[in-house]
């Protein structure tokens, strides 16, 4: 069922087949492995290609509580056991190793030694083979082009992450998302009770176009006090690649129409972030019902669209 609690139906005009869709939550663990030989990543920044420092100091920098690498301030107990600042609060200021009170002792020596280390990106297994000064690693990882993408499926809390090819398979097999080839589309969205709009999300559709994948979203929600419908496109890739494409959406009837033209947002931006930014075709409910015709008791919207590549 859709988050709004009512069954929502999306009809793909090109197939002339009606399909009932339900939003389902599926959690799948993705195991990423790298059996290829290292290649130059080409990342900008201070990263260097090669082997990272490999000694006991690197292991000492792992927090014994959360097992993550520690960054200043690194705390220690009177007996020399260390842990990160986040875990210090979690263990209620008691050393998890010897149970002594931690106090406010900094391990300045370990912090200083860390400055001399060069470490790999955490996404090494996904293809990033640059190494970085210890204190530059976190900043790089926030923007590393090899970091995994979150599942773009809306209407459920899906925890799956991975590269684009992994997510395409996941969307098809686990969320039962329809995959279509082509850069134009013609969708009809139907809802028997259009007055139920809160958090209503139609089934995601993925289009293969120019050798890339695009996610078409359509949903109903409250914009302030006004119920609206919204359609928008997301690109399965990074923002710099998304900017190479444009798309248009159109809806209308009875000699009137609404059009939207924009650049697809990267799936690096969450579904909610794109929706809340109103970066797409927004249709007020009264106008949507007018376009639907009849007695205005059922939503029947036809949304057409086109994707093209900018020169």
């Amino acid at each position: 069922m859709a988050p709004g609690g009512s069954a929502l139906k999306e009809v793909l005009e090109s197939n002339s087949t009606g399909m009932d869709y339900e939003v389902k939550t599926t959690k799948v663990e993705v195991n990423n492995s790298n059996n290829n030989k290292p290649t130059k990543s080409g990342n900008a920044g201070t990263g260097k290609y090669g082997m990272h420092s490999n000694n006991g100091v690197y292991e000492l920098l792992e927090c014994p509580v959360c097992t993550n690498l520690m960054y200043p301030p690194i705390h220690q107990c009177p007996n020399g056991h260390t842990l990160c600042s986040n875990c210090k609060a979690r263990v209620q200021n008691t050393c998890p190793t010897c149970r002594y009170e931690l106090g406010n002792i900094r391990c300045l020596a370990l912090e200083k030694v860390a400055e001399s280390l060069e470490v790999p990106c955490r996404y090494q297994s996904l293809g990033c083979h640059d190494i970085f000064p210890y204190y530059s690693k976190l900043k790089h990882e926030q923007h590393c082009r090899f970091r995994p993408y979150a599942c773009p499926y809306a209407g459920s809390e899906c925890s799956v992450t991975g590269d684009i090819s992994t997510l395409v398979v996941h969307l098809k097999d686990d969320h039962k998302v329809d995959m279509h080839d082509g850069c134009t589309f013609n969708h009809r969205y139907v809802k028997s009770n259009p007055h139920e709009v809160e958090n209503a999300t139609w089934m995601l559709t993925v289009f293969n176009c120019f050798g890339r994948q695009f996610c078409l979203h359509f949903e109903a929600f409250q914009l302030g006090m006004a119920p609206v419908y919204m359609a928008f496109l997301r690109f399965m890739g990074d923002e710099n690649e998304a900017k190479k494409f444009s798309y248009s959406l159109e809806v209308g009837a009875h000699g009137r129409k609404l059009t939207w033209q924009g650049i697809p947002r990267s799936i690096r931006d969450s579904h909610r972030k794109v929706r809340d930014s109103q970066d797409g075709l927004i249709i007020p409910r009264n106008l949507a019902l007018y376009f639907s015709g009849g007695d205005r008791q059922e939503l029947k919207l036809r949304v057409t669209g086109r994707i093209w590549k900018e020169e």
Side-chain angles (χ1 to χ4, degrees), residues 199-219:
N199 296 325
T201 302
W202 272 257
M203 188 68 173
L204 173 69
T205 306
V206 174
F207 293 93
N208 298 304
C209 178
F210 298 108
R212 307 307 298 268
Q213 287 75 39
F214 300 82
C215 299
L216 177 62
H217 297 270
F218 186 83
E219 62 186 85

Side-chain angles (χ1 to χ4, degrees), residues 47-64:
K48 296 187 293 184
Y49 182 74
M51 299 300 293
H52 65 88
S53 303
N54 186 15
N55 51 45
V57 176
Y58 186 79
E59 295 178 359
L60 289 175
L61 284 163
E62 290 185 356
C63 175

